[in-house]
Amino acid sequence: MYTIADIRKITDGKFLSGNNSAAVIEHLLIDSRKLLFPASTLFFSLPGPRRQGSAFVQDLYSKGVRNFIVDDSFAFLPQDFEAANIIAVKDVFQALQQLTAQHRSQFHFPVMGITGSNGKTIVKEWLYQLLQHDFNIVRSPKSYNSQIGVPLSVWQMNAQHTLGIFEAGISMPGEMEKLEKVIMPGIGIFTNIGEAHSEGFENIADKINEKVKLFTNSGTVIYCKDEVPVDEAMLLLQQKNNTVLFTWGEDAAATLCISSIQIQPFNTVIKGVFKEKKLSISIPFTNDAAVKNAITCWCVLLLLNIDNELIQERMLQLKPVEMRLELKQGINNCSVINDSYSADITSLSIALDFLQQQQQHPKRTVIISDILQTGKTNAALYQQVADILQQKKINRLIGVGTEIIKYSDAFSGIPETAFFNSTAEFLQKFPAMHFYNESILLKGARLFEFEQISHLLEEKVHQTVLEINLNAITHNLNTYQQLLSPGVKLMAMVKAFSYGSGGFEIANLLQFHKVDYLAVAYADEGVELRKAGITLPIMVMNAEEVTYDVLVQHNLEPELFSFGILSTFEDYLMRNGIQNFPVHIKLDTGMRRLGFEQKDISALCNRLQTTSAFKIQSVFSHLAASDSALHDAFTNAQAKAFLEGCEQIQKITGYKFLRHLANTSAIHRHKNMQYDMIRLGIGLYGVDAGPAIQQQLKNVTTLKTTISQIKNIKAGESIGYNRKGVAAKDSVIATVRIGYADGYPRLLSNGVGTMLVNGKLAPVIGNVCMDMTMLDITRIDAQEGDEVIVFGAALPVSELAASAQSIPYEILTGISQRVKRVYFEE
């Protein structure tokens, strides 16, 4: 533990306010929404793309936080923070890293640092599985490998630990040197080199050299000698620092020389030579990435002098690494968050943050198993768990395990609790338990096999699913936010079921990330969001007279686009004695769809001048071709007409309102049109017409199905309705569980469309059916039940749309509601 006075010295800061220099700090906070223990928390006010961390200091102070690190520019009134300790530093990022580097230096047990383009998290988690019986391990939570994630990971270290395993990821030069000072790994692990995150580097060699800086002070480094550029960089490191290189590969000079890799139906046997002795292991995986990751782990265990017979035994028990939280529809109108693969304090806090984002249900339930091997006494451990659950306002706790049940009294502050000695006992009592209209988090160590519980709680689904990556939505949101001028607000479009991605699930995320406005197409969409706990302002773009009651009841703000709707809504408000109701005025500047035309502005102003029914929140218009340079003159003319209209309306109303014209493409193509607010639509979901921006976005949606049957057919045989598909040669045909009723266009029939089967493109053969589609998988190794990608990162929805003579908007919004949505956060 550190006092705030200690931290001031470590960070070379100065007290702007020092009420209690003896205050003890246990918890570091960088996100004001994730506060757990105010009294012992130190908040680092890091700069963000739109908001400075210092903007949240006042709110945190009101919640009981008393310790802050801010930059030199922070200004405040002393009377507003009388009880606070505020330290000013030149660079808040640097202060966070200085503090955690000092913390790391206090411990002298072995620490491993892992870097590489891929496989860092898998190797870390497998090493944890393989070594947890020999060491008390502290490791990076999830994929915490960034400039912020690494310091927060290292801060977990305490005297009870005997081994540390931390990941380090980079995206540009100069980053790894900072992370090395925080991790200070004695053992280095380089997984592999690939194209991921190459944008900030001139070439692969530059990226390798940057990554190798993690091992500047390492005694030993493990890597694959067959990757020649990596090997060259490591040999230079050895010459400079006398680093011991523990290599593996087919090269005879490798420390562990791999002699054969035998892939079998359900496992892979790997043979090698180490210190002139023939060794082998078997792993329950058959893919190439798993084999390489397992060999890397094998090297680590050999380096630690673990007997190969024991290594063989443990390798056979390796489990897949689930690196994401999944949100699924559950029974009885519940939502189920499945994180039933690990149980520790840090991952529990991460999962609870995700649970807290869910506003669609009034009740939150946590089902948790015993937490194993923390280095704390069980009494202290379960008291901490209880404190965290109470901070997060959990309504019901179900504890499973012989240890948590002993400390059930610690959870007396939770309104509803139940405890079971085992998963089997819980399953036996499940029929008598009631789960209804609640968000349920499953958090269990692997040996408790909580997947049995998830199978009972999750709604049975069609095997065709649309996966939505919530991390990707957050990334895309941040990408556009960084393009905004200071003070520009952001309206996120969540109409049409959030472009097919889901309603309240996406709105919950956007509300958590503090967007300014939401927009829906119809009132019923807005009502559903309000019922799901969404409190953000919501604009309704197609208000209808029959929905005026629910608009007012749920505080939804209609778009007024014609004199007809203006008059009927004004009459409704006046009849009900309502004044200054928030509305949005739509101008038609060239789209020729909805809105008041230029010739209507004068009459509109007269109407607005004579009524007290409305309070104009915004005036906006819609650009017809903002993504096309061919039509820039037209776009500029639209902007000119829009500004003239706004000026007339503002002059007559006498007050300011938000002006918004820019849509997704205009945010970056016409930055001068950002005005007071922008509307972010399909870009949020990973699609942009601009190639440069598209490269920065992450894929959000992946449509998956499975093979239901495989058939061998002879040349000349026909496939499907109307015998439209005919085999040109002897072929292998797979029928997959998706058709036009699911939203797969019939235009993709007869070789027009393709899907990915085990990483290879398979063309559609015959007509797309209502519920099924046939693929030609000749020369593709596949089995019934295998996963098939309809569109996703490797097969973009834009390509599928082009093949179907359509656009991504139509494809995404056309995915049927019978296709279940699965939301995940990595």
Side-chain angles (χ1 to χ4, degrees):
M1 294 185 187
Y2 300 81
T3 67
I4 194 68
D6 295 331
I7 292 172
R8 186 202 63 78
K9 291 179 182 177
I10 293 168
T11 59
D12 195 28
K14 61 180 179 181
F15 276 122
L16 298 181
S17 173
N19 176 267
N20 177 18
S21 62
V24 174
I25 301 302
E26 294 183 56
H27 305 95
L28 306 185
L29 182 68
I30 60 163
D31 187 332
S32 62
R33 297 161 298 189
K34 299 180 179 181
L35 177 65
L36 286 175
F37 303 106
S40 56
T41 289
L42 171 62
F43 177 65
F44 285 80
S45 60
L46 297 171
R50 293 188 68 208
R51 298 180 176 91
Q52 295 296 313
S54 55
F56 303 100
V57 170
Q58 181 72 62
D59 180 55
L60 286 169
Y61 184 79
S62 69
K63 294 177 180 177
V65 177
R66 293 294 178 263
N67 301 287
F68 304 90
I69 288 188
V70 299
D71 64 27
D72 290 331
S73 66
F74 183 70
F76 68 103
L77 297 174
Q79 60 267 31
D80 291 340
F81 297 94
E82 290 181 353
N85 297 308
I86 302 177
I87 299 173
V89 296
K90 291 181 180 178
D91 186 322
V92 179
F93 270 111
Q94 184 178 333
L96 173 63
Q97 292 174 342
Q98 285 175 320
L99 174 58
T100 50
Q102 172 64 25
H103 182 65
R104 162 67 183 92
S105 70
Q106 305 302 307
F107 303 99
H108 304 289
F109 52 77
V111 170
M112 300 178 187
I114 306 174
T115 193
S117 296
N118 306 104
K120 296 184 291 293
T121 302
I122 299 290
V123 168
K124 178 200 68 189
E125 292 300 320
W126 276 1
L127 286 174
Y128 175 77
Q129 291 180 32
L130 293 164
L131 295 171
Q132 60 182 318
H133 302 291
D134 307 302
F135 299 93
N136 186 355
I137 301 173
V138 56
R139 69 195 195 279
S140 308
K142 301 288 182 180
S143 299
Y144 273 39
N145 57 31
S146 67
Q147 295 292 304
I148 295 174
V150 168
L152 296 181
S153 300
V154 168
W155 184 254
Q156 300 175 100
M157 296 175 73
N158 64 51
Q160 282 71 46
H161 294 126
T162 57
L163 177 66
I165 309 176
F166 301 109
E167 301 178 43
I170 56 167
S171 57
M172 62 182 65
E175 291 185 336
M176 192 60 87
E177 187 176 358
K178 298 174 183 177
L179 298 185
E180 190 279 332
K181 292 177 180 178
V182 177
I183 299 176
M184 293 187 279
I187 299 172
I189 301 169
F190 196 111
T191 56
N192 57 49
I193 194 66
E195 294 300 322
H197 307 296
S198 294
E199 299 85 0
F201 300 93
E202 290 188 12
N203 51 51
I204 286 290
D206 281 349
K207 186 164 72 166
I208 292 171
N209 291 332
E210 179 67 22
K211 287 181 178 291
V212 168
K213 290 177 182 177
L214 178 61
F215 313 129
T216 300
N217 296 296
S218 299
T220 303
V221 179
I222 295 168
Y223 69 97
C224 177
K225 192 172 181 63
D226 296 340
E227 292 194 273
V228 175
V230 176
D231 188 45
E232 290 173 349
M234 292 299 181
L235 290 171
L236 289 174
L237 178 71
Q238 183 185 47
Q239 292 174 12
K240 184 178 178 181
N241 298 339
N242 281 329
T243 309
V244 176
L245 303 181
F246 192 121
T247 62
W248 67 269
E250 296 178 1
D251 191 314
T255 313
L256 173 63
C257 179
I258 304 301
S259 54
S260 73
I261 297 173
Q262 301 167 5
I263 299 175
Q264 300 174 358
F266 303 106
N267 69 305
T268 300
V269 177
I270 308 166
K271 297 182 178 180
V273 178
F274 175 65
K275 294 183 177 179
E276 300 182 350
K277 185 177 180 180
K278 293 182 179 180
L279 304 176
S280 69
I281 58 170
S282 178
I283 60 171
F285 304 94
T286 57
N287 61 301
D288 182 62
V291 169
K292 291 177 178 177
N293 291 333
I295 295 173
T296 298
C297 293
W298 190 10
C299 291
V300 174
L301 270 63
L302 290 172
L303 177 67
L304 296 176
N305 296 315
I306 295 176
D307 186 81
N308 199 67
E309 288 188 10
L310 186 56
I311 296 175
Q312 288 177 320
E313 178 185 326
R314 292 179 181 177
M315 285 286 183
L316 281 170
Q317 297 171 15
L318 282 177
K319 298 287 193 290
V321 176
E322 297 292 335
M323 295 189 292
R324 64 192 202 181
L325 296 164
E326 288 191 339
L327 173 66
K328 297 183 179 180
Q329 184 64 40
I331 59 173
N332 303 327
N333 195 38
C334 292
S335 296
V336 179
I337 300 170
N338 190 350
D339 193 24
S340 57
Y341 300 96
S342 65
D344 57 75
I345 289 291
T346 304
S347 65
L348 172 63
S349 295
I350 294 169
L352 287 170
D353 288 335
F354 188 57
L355 175 64
Q356 200 167 38
Q357 290 180 33
Q358 311 312 315
Q359 302 292 323
Q360 62 270 29
H361 304 297
K363 183 176 180 180
R364 294 189 179 99
T365 294
V366 173
I367 304 176
I368 189 171
S369 74
D370 286 347
I371 296 178
L372 311 175
Q373 296 177 319
T374 64
K376 296 185 177 183
T377 66
N378 281 341
L381 168 66
Y382 291 110
Q383 185 58 59
Q384 185 179 7
V385 172
D387 291 343
I388 292 172
L389 295 178
Q390 286 180 246
Q391 284 280 347
K392 294 294 185 181
K393 295 181 171 57
I394 300 304
N395 305 99
R396 173 161 64 159
L397 167 72
I398 297 173
V400 179
T402 56
E403 291 304 313
I404 194 171
I405 202 170
K406 293 176 185 176
Y407 300 94
S408 57
D409 289 347
F411 300 94
S412 58
I414 296 173
E416 188 179 344
T417 59
F419 295 90
F420 302 91
N421 283 295
S422 65
T423 303
E425 184 183 350
F426 172 84
L427 296 173
Q428 186 180 6
K429 299 290 179 63
F430 182 84
M433 303 187 73
H434 299 287
F435 295 94
Y436 176 75
N437 195 24
E438 55 195 287
S439 297
I440 305 166
L441 169 63
L442 294 178
K443 189 72 181 137
R446 282 184 179 276
L447 62 89
F448 285 88
E449 298 180 337
F450 269 20
E451 57 268 24
Q452 298 178 70
I453 300 176
S454 69
H455 290 158
L456 290 176
L457 288 172
E458 291 170 12
E459 191 175 69
K460 302 302 179 283
V461 299
H462 176 29
Q463 288 192 44
T464 298
V465 299
L466 185 69
E467 290 189 344
I468 294 97
N469 184 338
L470 298 179
N471 296 94
I473 290 180
T474 301
H475 169 87
N476 297 341
L477 175 65
N478 290 336
T479 297
Y480 287 101
Q481 284 179 328
Q482 290 174 24
L483 299 173
L484 301 184
S485 300
V488 174
K489 296 181 182 296
L490 187 148
M491 174 183 281
M493 310 303 289
V494 292
K495 61 181 181 176
F497 201 52
S498 292
Y499 293 68
S501 298
F504 64 79
E505 298 90 349
I506 305 303
N508 271 332
L509 182 71
L510 297 171
Q511 180 166 271
F512 183 76
H513 287 291
K514 300 184 183 300
V515 302
D516 301 290
Y517 251 96
L518 298 178
V520 297
Y522 295 100
D524 56 353
E525 294 176 309
V527 171
E528 288 303 310
L529 296 184
R530 287 286 186 249
K531 289 180 177 178
I534 301 303
T535 58
L536 286 172
I538 299 174
M539 180 176 78
V540 178
M541 304 184 78
N542 291 282
E544 302 166 284
E545 190 170 354
V546 294
T547 65
Y548 290 166
D549 280 332
V550 295
L551 282 172
V552 172
Q553 180 184 349
H554 295 281
N555 194 26
L556 303 174
E557 304 173 7
E559 166 192 318
L560 305 183
F561 53 80
S562 69
F563 288 111
I565 193 170
L566 185 150
S567 296
T568 58
F569 192 52
E570 180 186 21
D571 290 345
Y572 171 85
L573 294 175
M574 299 306 289
R575 285 197 311 270
N576 288 276
I578 300 171
Q579 294 187 339
N580 296 317
F581 194 84
V583 297
H584 302 261
I585 303 296
K586 174 74 172 288
L587 305 182
D588 182 357
T589 58
M591 185 75 170
R592 299 297 178 254
R593 192 170 62 178
L594 295 177
F596 295 97
E597 298 182 35
Q598 284 179 284
K599 63 183 176 59
D600 301 325
I601 300 296
S602 179
L604 173 63
C605 288
N606 290 334
R607 288 294 305 274
L608 294 173
Q609 190 176 28
T610 60
T611 184
S612 61
F614 308 134
K615 173 67 183 296
I616 299 174
Q617 298 298 106
S618 81
V619 175
F620 72 104
S621 187
H622 203 113
L623 294 173
S626 63
D627 58 345
S628 172
L630 182 65
H631 301 293
D632 279 352
F634 186 83
T635 299
N636 290 328
Q638 279 194 271
K640 182 175 182 292
F642 173 68
L643 290 176
E644 289 173 353
C646 288
E647 185 177 357
Q648 286 180 262
I649 295 171
Q650 185 170 321
K651 185 176 180 180
I652 206 71
T653 59
Y655 60 83
K656 290 186 176 181
F657 42 75
L658 296 172
R659 301 164 303 160
H660 50 109
L661 179 65
N663 54 10
T664 294
S665 291
I667 292 170
H668 54 90
R669 289 205 70 247
H670 302 281
K671 291 187 177 183
N672 61 312
M673 299 178 192
Q674 291 181 2
Y675 305 135
D676 303 309
M677 184 161 67
I678 58 88
R679 299 188 304 275
L680 179 57
I682 199 164
L684 188 64
Y685 308 98
V687 179
D688 193 294
I693 296 296
Q694 182 63 61
Q695 287 183 354
Q696 298 178 44
L697 301 180
K698 289 188 177 181
N699 178 70
V700 170
T701 52
T702 301
L703 182 59
K704 294 181 175 182
T705 188
T706 56
I707 296 175
S708 55
Q709 190 174 25
I710 294 175
K711 291 188 175 183
N712 294 289
I713 65 170
K714 297 293 184 181
E717 289 190 46
S718 62
I719 300 99
Y721 284 119
N722 305 119
R723 305 189 66 200
K724 291 293 185 181
V726 178
K729 58 183 182 304
D730 290 355
S731 303
V732 182
I733 305 300
T735 300
V736 298
R737 296 176 170 96
I738 189 170
Y740 56 77
D742 300 296
Y744 192 70
R746 200 165 181 271
L747 276 171
L748 297 176
S749 302
N750 301 306
V752 177
T754 57
M755 300 184 198
L756 279 172
V757 179
N758 293 330
K760 296 182 179 179
L761 287 174
V764 173
I765 186 166
N767 282 331
V768 174
C769 308
M770 180 182 288
D771 310 300
M772 290 168 281
T773 301
M774 287 71 73
L775 303 176
D776 185 348
I777 61 166
T778 308
R779 294 190 297 276
I780 298 177
D781 185 17
Q783 299 177 0
E784 292 176 1
D786 279 1
E787 184 176 84
V788 176
I789 304 297
V790 183
F791 63 73
L795 184 59
V797 66
S798 55
E799 292 184 12
L800 184 149
S803 298
Q805 302 174 37
S806 182
I807 56 177
Y809 295 80
E810 183 177 16
I811 300 300
L812 291 172
T813 58
I815 302 301
S816 165
Q817 291 301 298
R818 81 174 185 182
V819 175
K820 295 301 177 183
R821 273 65 173 171
V822 176
Y823 303 88
F824 68 90
E825 187 172 273
E826 295 176 337

